[in-house]
Amino acid sequence: MIQAFGLTSNPRQELPPAVDDVSFEAPTGRVTALLGARASGKTTAVRLMLELQQGRGITHFRGRPLHRIPHPSREVGVLLGEVQGHPSRTVRGQLRMLCAAAGVPVQRADEVLEVVGIVSLRDQRLGTLSRGMDRRLGLACALLADPHTLVLDGPAGGLSAREGKWLHGILRAHASLGGTVLFTTDDAKEAARTADRVVTLEAGRVIADQGVADFSRTRLRPRVAVRSPHAARLGVLLAKEARATQRSVEVVNEDGNRLSVYGSNCADVGETAFRHSILVHQLADEVGDAGSAVSVPARARTEEVRKEEPAAPQRAVVDAPSVADEPLPAMEPSEKETAALMAPAQAHAPSAQEPPHSTGTFVLLRADADLGGASSLASAPRNEPAARAPRTPSIPAPAPPPAPLSPLPPPITIHPAPSPLRPLRYEVRRATGIATGYLTAAAVLVASAIVAVLLARTGHTSQSHLLAAWPQGLPLPPAALGAGLLGAFAFGDEFRHPALAADRGTVPRRLGLLCAKLVVAAAVAVSLAFLVVASDAVLLHLVYGEELTEVPADWLSTSASWLALVVGCAWAGVLAAGVFRSTTAGLAAVLAVPVLVVPLVQKALEGPSVRTAAGLPSRLRDLALVHWPFGAERVLAAVLRMIAQPVGSAMMLSLTALLCAYLLAVLRPRAR
């Protein structure tokens, strides 16, 4: 069950808020439609409910606000706009990645593909999907964690009639299994066909909260379409008989031989035509266009129409005294509607707990609620007298004291999405789901091979730099640049094409997700470094012989330096892209290490030195209480010497600064 209380958006400069004190309920086992024209506040209300936009109010999903639910995706399935994801990722890859994020078995992806009927498109790219298939995939993403509640913003927008009917069937099936469904629409007929309850918004306020039967009767204006060669005479007779029987009937002469009769039915119109021997070519029940109810009585409205609309179609309006105060819809029916019967609004019977509907028009009553000053909504017949306090015949009862004003609704804070429940598995599927990483690695291997062959031809490059394809003039070798670019993709593409919790806003900066990205980036960088050295060695052996492929004497320290450089570049790309939310910024941070930071470190180290770190291994050995196993003090000394190098110092300095910036970006929203 969804309970929204006092949803109010922040003011927009001199304009009123897009949503102002919106409160409603969406019961369990029912489909609820949030109806309104464009710019009526439907999407804003949904975003406030999901805590994606700042404002005021509170929304309970089965008694709990969304930020108090441990795993929101398992409770609420959301569809907002188009499916967010990299256009080169496959349909199945997108769902399998979201399975890891939601912590559900990977087999669930194939199950929801069967439910939405796109199993045959599981290997198709997201960028090639049509509008209808994108809607189906979005619904599959919402159903992935088997949520109890579905919140869909304009799910049938842009769909054909057949696809819309299928979508409504899925929503009806989910509600019949005990779930809660809330969707927004600007089509009143769609709301009447699909929903059990319709909440109507206008200018950011709730103007009606009705069951579908009341909505169809008071907002959709059911009518009888009549086509006859004697339409004018039949219209006069219908108006005369309605006046005699004191019934409220409106007859509109649409086009020569076509009438639209409001407030009657096919049986009464057919009997009138039969009694007066009038030939009828068509007689059918239709559902007209929606129109907002006006507050003036029907008699006054009739006089205003006669005075202000002299060019309007000829009509006869018959008012009965008992319904003189009943508001009539203001919008006229469309002339282009076909006479085909539409699905009756009574197809979805209202809940058994709802009171029987009366014949009066339902209006909205507002009363202060106990929770956060929200307004509870109720519907009551307009023609029923208001409840009054008991009175004695002689002494009137004292007026009750005014109720104290309740405080404002609590503010809505945007809460970032939780980390993936399986972050390492999520990151592996994210990195391997598109071809960008493979193409980058292939380009690095080709560039390294070409550079290594050219360097070997000149004969002025050391063995270690030759195998790494690192010319002295370049700040970084191709492998380090490729590792940094792959690291920048880890966050940059995810912010550009949100894949993680797209329904809950932007990609979260969480330490669990960061650790998973650093681990995967390091593994990719190490693999790329080994592939580059191996491919260069094989190519040099084939072109120039064995003399250029000999193993250097200091291969251990050289290999450690090589791997540290590549992994450091990859981590710098990850951290910079996470801080600045851009792949370009991540790659720029990688290039800034040798171009800007290394010269600064060199200038700092070129100063006069009084003392050196000579004899560090022996002092480490003496400091330890026990002997270091397997010569670990030598490894530690080698690491310290590597950090003491200008490139190593610059890399450590850059990684430390980026990590501090990332932690600041993570902790700053929490401090606020």
Side-chain angles (χ1 to χ4, degrees), residues 79-83 126-139 153-160 163 166-167:
L79 175 59
L80 299 177
E82 297 181 354
V83 175
L126 297 184
T128 62
L129 295 179
S130 63
R131 176 68 175 177
M133 296 303 102
D134 184 85
R135 294 283 87 185
R136 290 179 182 244
L137 178 58
L139 187 59
D153 184 23
L159 299 184
S160 63
E163 292 172 337
W166 170 87
L167 177 63

Side-chain angles (χ1 to χ4, degrees), residues 42-43 46 79-81 135 151-156 182-185:
K42 305 185 301 297
T43 301
V46 169
L79 175 59
L80 299 177
R135 294 283 87 185
V151 179
L152 315 174
D153 184 23
L182 173 67
F183 73 97
T184 67
T185 180

Side-chain angles (χ1 to χ4, degrees), residues 29 82-83 166 200 216 241 277 280 365 393 522 546 567 577 593 596:
E82 297 181 354
V83 175
W166 170 87
T200 307
S216 299
E241 291 187 359
S277 301
V280 175
L365 302 180
E546 297 181 357
V567 172
V593 172
L596 299 178

Side-chain angles (χ1 to χ4, degrees), residues 363-537:
V363 297
L364 184 64
L365 302 180
R366 308 180 66 88
D368 289 338
D370 295 334
L371 181 55
S375 298
S376 60
L377 303 180
S379 297
R382 183 156 184 163
N383 55 359
E384 291 184 2
R388 301 181 180 180
R391 299 174 180 266
T392 58
S394 58
I395 302 177
L405 296 177
S406 57
L408 292 175
I412 297 176
T413 305
I414 300 177
H415 297 274
S419 298
L421 298 183
R422 298 172 183 174
L424 188 60
R425 187 178 303 180
Y426 162 81
E427 181 60 23
V428 170
R429 290 175 180 165
R430 186 208 62 79
T432 58
I434 57 178
T436 304
Y438 302 104
L439 295 177
T440 303
V444 168
L445 292 177
V446 173
S448 299
I450 296 175
V451 171
V453 171
L454 295 178
L455 290 177
R457 183 180 180 84
T458 59
H460 300 293
T461 307
S462 62
Q463 183 71 13
S464 58
H465 280 70
L466 185 61
L467 292 176
W470 189 358
Q472 296 294 338
L474 290 181
L476 288 175
L481 289 175
L485 181 59
L486 291 176
F489 282 146
F491 257 128
D493 268 2
E494 199 165 24
F495 283 110
R496 183 181 178 186
H497 307 287
L500 177 62
D503 56 322
R504 298 280 295 124
T506 184
V507 179
R509 294 191 184 102
R510 294 296 179 91
L511 296 182
L513 183 60
L514 175 64
C515 292
K517 290 183 180 296
L518 292 179
V519 169
V520 174
V524 172
V526 169
S527 303
L528 186 61
F530 275 115
L531 288 175
V532 166
V533 172
S535 61
D536 290 349

Side-chain angles (χ1 to χ4, degrees), residues 284-307:
D285 287 319
E286 288 185 351
V287 178
D289 294 333
S292 57
V294 295
S295 57
V296 297
R299 294 183 183 275
R301 177 182 179 274
T302 304
E303 297 297 330
E304 291 176 1
V305 168
R306 292 173 180 173
K307 294 179 181 179

